Amino acid sequence: MDAVALWQRYQDWLYYHEGLEFYLDISRMRFDDEFVQSMQPGFEKAFKEMAELEGGAIANPDENRMVGHYWLRDPDLAPTPEIKQQIVKTLEKIEAFTQKVHSGEIKPPNAPKFTDIISIGIGGSALGPEFVAEALAPDFPPLAIHFIDNSDPAGIDSILNKLKDRLASTLVLVISKSGGTPEPRNGMIEVQTAYAAQNLNFPPQAVAITGDGSKLDQQAKSEGWLDTFPMEDWVGGRTSEMSAVGLVPAALQGIDIRAMLAGAKEMDAATRIPKLKENPAALLALSWYFAGNGKGEKDMVVLPYKDSLLLFSRYLQQLVMESLGKERDKDGNIVHQGIAVYGNKGSTDQHAYVQQLRDGVPNFFLTFIEVLRDRSGNSPEIEPSVTSGDYLSGFLQGTRQALYENHRDSITVTIGQVNPRMVGALIALYERAVGFYGILVNINAYHQPGVEAGKKAAATILDLQKQVLQVLQEEGTALSLTQLAQKAGASDQVEAIYKILRHLHANHRGVALEGNFAKPATLMVSAT
Ligand SMILES: O=P(O)(O)OC[C@H]1O[C@](O)(CO)[C@@H](O)[C@@H]1O
């Protein structure tokens, strides 16, 4: 297609939302009218099912749950007055709590005000708050946030060391919908231990955000924690940014959560329109389907040309891959669905992997995210009539063009600026696009059965570790790995036992390994 035809295609397919100052350009996806026609029945179904979901249908049948993240930003849509009340009350409670923390009315026992937050959570209980903090937190927030989103002792130390002198004024948010996920539980215990080491009383500085009646909820209530906020049963982890999970940390950092909710509500309204060309989420889902042939054959590379949106691709990774990455469709057929997502930011990534994108294996499509406003205030000129922002903008256009010329398709999302309203809108846009795509490919986008397998296997390893340690202590003599496995009743688990022992040995955990480490079968193990 020549430049004139492309310009026409751009205009034919441009979606623009005036209220949000939001543009979606899918003109550089090479679908034709016949493809669009063929997708119409799928979209009819998607619009209908999405309306049912918003109306309170059990859209996650495996877990017998409603899917209600859309109600969080428009409580009038909630299917019952009780749910509506719950949403409104939680929001008011978050605002009242935040105001009191900021004013010092709610304060830690040994300091005049809270200065910092440690937010402990993983997956959907971390990625949204992390993305939003990076995108929107002011340079000097009322409370500075630090995330523990893993069970890595060195990572936890790094945060605790930085906060050593400020633990007395640090508020701890423990975020877990289930209240039983091991990583946040471990993080919480590590932080509690650090508080105890400084003779600080943990409960008056701790807040739980969790499902009603969960283990964490019970603990917070029985120990008299500072407060608890609910995570509703009908909100999934990866769509929880606009629930207390995302709103509490955002509000505490001074981010305008009402604006985030308003932006999401506006985008929800736009993506509720049952017409493909007038619905930006449907246009995204159409493009994803086209790119990967409805089978995820191409990866989604997300490249925001704005530093503050760095974590958007990481956030989308969970939203898209945990939602769409499914072995079976809704009829039980094996389909192995999904779309792989990666990316960081432009133009930075142009000097990392864009070489391969341009010239290498064509197994992806791109999503450029362009932000029109360069900065608040004026820019100095780097060269006559050229600013750094002009360069960034030029790099985006240039890369889009160079990739297209080499048959690499792309979507471009353009927004006026990165502010709470727009971040809310972007989250809402992708939540809906994922929902539509899930319906198009007939999978349940709201469960995550695959994650359970890894969790169960990890629990088995930890049980095996306990068994092995017990045998070693009882034996009191050096054993080969095979002997130890036999005595532990796990003859088929020699490799797992070897890895457990190697880790314990490296950490001086009462286990000595001797022999040739290049030939693990020769190793002898004893208790120290
Ligand atoms: O909030 P929770 O219950 O601790 O779960 C954390 C994450 O773990 C998962 O259940 C599985 O990874 C995610 O869906 C969820 O966001």
Side-chain angles (χ1 to χ4, degrees), residues 39 43 280-290 433-434 436-437 440:
M39 294 300 290
F43 276 101
L283 292 172
L284 275 184
L286 175 87
S287 304
W288 299 353
Y289 195 102
F290 171 75
V434 165
F436 282 147
Y437 188 89
L440 291 177

Side-chain angles (χ1 to χ4, degrees), residues 63 120-127 175-185 209-211 216 231 236-240 245 318 322 446-448 450-452 455:
E63 298 174 1
I120 307 173
I122 196 165
S125 295
L127 289 161
I175 310 180
S176 175
K177 178 178 176 180
S178 61
T181 307
E183 292 92 335
R185 192 273 319 262
I209 303 172
T210 187
L216 174 60
M231 184 160 179
R238 55 188 172 274
T239 51
S240 64
V245 168
Q318 187 203 19
E322 203 168 69
Y446 305 102
H447 68 170
Q448 52 286 326
V451 181
E452 293 312 312
K455 283 188 193 164

